[in-house]
Amino acid sequence: MNKHLMSNYAPLPLTFDRGDGAWLWDTHGKRYLDSVSGIAVCGLGHAHPAVTAAIRDQAGKLLHTSNLYGIAAQEALAERLCSASEMDSAFFCNSGAEANEAAIKIARLYGHGRGIASPTIIVMENSFHGRTMATLTATGNRKVQAGFEPLLGGFTRAPYNEVNALETIAANNRDVVAILLEPAQGEGGVRIPDAGYLAEVRGICDANGWLMMLDEVQTGMGRTGKWFGWQHEDARPDVMALAKALGNGVPVGACVARDQAARVFGPGSHGSTFGGNPLACRAALAVIDVIEGEALCERAAKLGNRFMDGLTERLGSLPGVVNVRGKGLMLGVELESDCAALVRQAIDAGLLINVTSGNVIRLLPPLIISDEQADLIIDGVSTLVERFVELPVAERA
């Protein structure tokens, strides 16, 4: 660890020098198959030629002017995102946490506009929304909150995937103005809700005059087999947060809203110095062009089925494996015991994986992988798990 870097990260002893598609090469020349995509960021893989060309072209023209002036690429990106999501307008920022922060501020302004002095947002257990003070408070993980008290007020928590809990809150809390949740929980262990859950949440919000706000930071931009996770149920939100794969590695986030939620912000009510600058927006426009042009949403859905079939066949009935689950190219293999040790074992085998919630292998491969690369990941993960669960528990660390 470099002594000049703060110690908030514990990076693996691995540094990458270059990438191409789904492959990465470290500084010693060893090649790795990437099934993490920079935590769902590089949906188009590494060094995608269209994104590279857009960045190169824009960098040679103009990087930044600020939002004191009009930005043509920002206007074009807002139009494309609103068209894909059936929303009305967008605010651009630099990250998923900032996009969720904007959503939280929209909810509070919305509540105050309705005469509610202490507007409250329902958030979910096991959720993750970012590390700013507001998004940290909204996050349903006590471990990442510890030490940062006092947390903010204005949030009440409910179990994920339980509609009855929301109905109970609705009957007992008149200060609620919105629900913030993920269409599928990523950091919380790749938790996929029951079919119909999002539609039921939409109905509860409509019945109570609440905003339905979706954190699509990890599920958005084709990851689940649709542009956005809510489109599997046609549960269109009022506010939606995007980031990660939107720029394929270039930092860019967006808070997209419709109807009354889109009219809450006015001049001076929110802003970002870097948000929506020409470089970030050109990169994001290139990403959208590629996803559309190569039908990558449909490709992600097809590949997701391939992964589910392959992993289930190898691991579904294996002792020590709880289950295999996923949506599109957002997949999880839950084991009965903690399995963080598998990350380094995978590295030794030339494969990059991620473990979240202690015992869930999370796979987030690029949308552009080939069938052959998908099969390599399936075989590599399955082999690692098969060997792992055969070991005595004491030897798995």
Side-chain angles (χ1 to χ4, degrees):
M1 182 70 180
N2 189 301
K3 67 179 181 179
H4 298 295
L5 293 173
M6 290 189 182
S7 57
N8 50 305
Y9 299 117
L12 292 159
L14 185 62
T15 300
F16 295 109
D17 179 63
R18 65 185 179 91
D20 182 13
W23 295 102
L24 282 166
W25 284 261
D26 68 17
T27 50
H28 300 289
K30 182 178 177 178
R31 189 176 74 160
Y32 303 81
L33 185 54
D34 186 4
S35 66
V36 180
S37 301
I39 316 181
V41 169
C42 299
L44 305 186
H46 304 283
H48 192 284
V51 179
T52 300
I55 294 171
R56 183 184 293 118
D57 179 66
Q58 190 61 48
K61 293 178 180 178
L62 184 67
L63 293 179
H64 179 80
T65 59
S66 88
N67 288 292
L68 292 173
Y69 314 100
I71 301 172
Q74 183 183 119
E75 295 172 8
L77 180 57
E79 183 177 350
R80 296 288 293 279
L81 286 177
C82 288
S83 176
S85 62
E86 304 173 58
M87 306 291 262
D88 294 335
S89 59
F91 164 78
F92 291 105
C93 50
N94 311 286
S95 68
E98 291 176 66
N100 282 318
E101 188 88 15
I104 290 166
K105 291 180 73 172
I106 286 173
R108 289 196 171 187
L109 281 174
Y110 170 76
H112 285 299
R114 298 177 62 195
I116 298 174
S118 300
T120 298
I121 300 169
I122 299 174
V123 291
M124 301 295 151
E125 296 174 0
N126 298 309
S127 62
F128 184 84
H129 299 295
R131 295 182 184 271
T132 65
M133 283 307 301
T135 57
L136 183 72
T137 304
T139 291
N141 183 335
R142 182 61 195 144
K143 182 178 178 180
V144 302
Q145 295 172 338
F148 295 106
E149 298 85 356
L151 301 177
L152 300 185
F155 297 93
T156 188
R157 206 164 302 282
Y160 189 66
N161 198 30
E162 292 188 22
V163 174
N164 290 342
L166 300 177
E167 293 173 338
T168 298
I169 293 173
N172 293 283
N173 191 330
R174 300 300 179 186
D175 289 334
V176 172
V177 297
I179 298 177
L180 173 63
L181 75 161
E182 299 154 278
Q185 292 187 333
E187 298 296 325
V190 192
R191 299 176 185 273
I192 311 299
D194 295 337
Y197 172 67
L198 292 180
E200 289 185 273
V201 173
R202 176 72 271 176
I204 291 172
C205 288
D206 290 340
N208 291 279
W210 300 344
L211 299 179
M212 181 179 179
M213 308 197 304
L214 291 183
D215 178 344
E216 292 262 13
V217 171
Q218 190 164 144
T219 53
M221 306 309 295
R223 170 61 53 186
T224 68
K226 299 280 187 181
W227 274 104
F228 311 108
W230 63 264
Q231 291 174 327
H232 292 280
E233 294 186 15
D234 195 25
R236 183 168 55 134
D238 301 290
V239 183
M240 180 175 66
L242 299 171
K244 285 191 180 289
L246 179 57
N248 207 60
V250 174
V252 57
C255 180
V256 191
R258 68 180 177 98
D259 299 334
Q260 54 191 340
R263 298 188 292 270
V264 168
F265 282 158
S269 58
H270 195 46
S272 170
T273 297
F274 295 107
N277 71 32
L279 181 70
C281 290
R282 277 292 304 278
L285 285 166
V287 168
I288 292 173
D289 285 343
V290 173
I291 292 174
E292 286 184 346
E294 298 184 10
L296 290 182
C297 292
E298 295 83 355
R299 176 65 177 158
K302 183 178 179 180
L303 281 167
N305 291 333
R306 190 182 190 96
F307 270 96
M308 286 295 295
D309 290 345
L311 291 169
T312 300
E313 181 179 353
R314 288 279 296 272
L315 303 176
S317 59
L318 189 68
V321 175
V322 177
N323 64 26
V324 177
R325 54 182 180 259
K327 199 84 167 177
L329 290 179
M330 183 176 181
L331 301 130
V333 179
E334 183 176 353
L335 305 188
E336 290 179 353
S337 62
D338 285 355
C339 57
L342 284 174
V343 173
R344 290 193 181 229
Q345 294 174 27
I347 287 173
D348 292 340
L351 177 63
L352 302 182
I353 64 171
N354 174 245
V355 169
T356 188
S357 292
N359 65 327
V360 179
I361 301 167
R362 177 172 50 167
L363 302 177
L364 302 162
L367 279 58
I368 49 81
I369 61 170
S370 66
D371 290 352
E372 292 75 17
Q373 289 168 337
D375 291 342
L376 285 173
I377 295 171
I378 292 167
D379 181 64
V381 170
S382 298
T383 300
L384 287 167
V385 171
E386 288 164 350
R387 292 173 180 170
F388 183 78
V389 298
E390 288 177 356
L391 294 172
V393 174
E395 298 179 19
R396 293 179 183 178

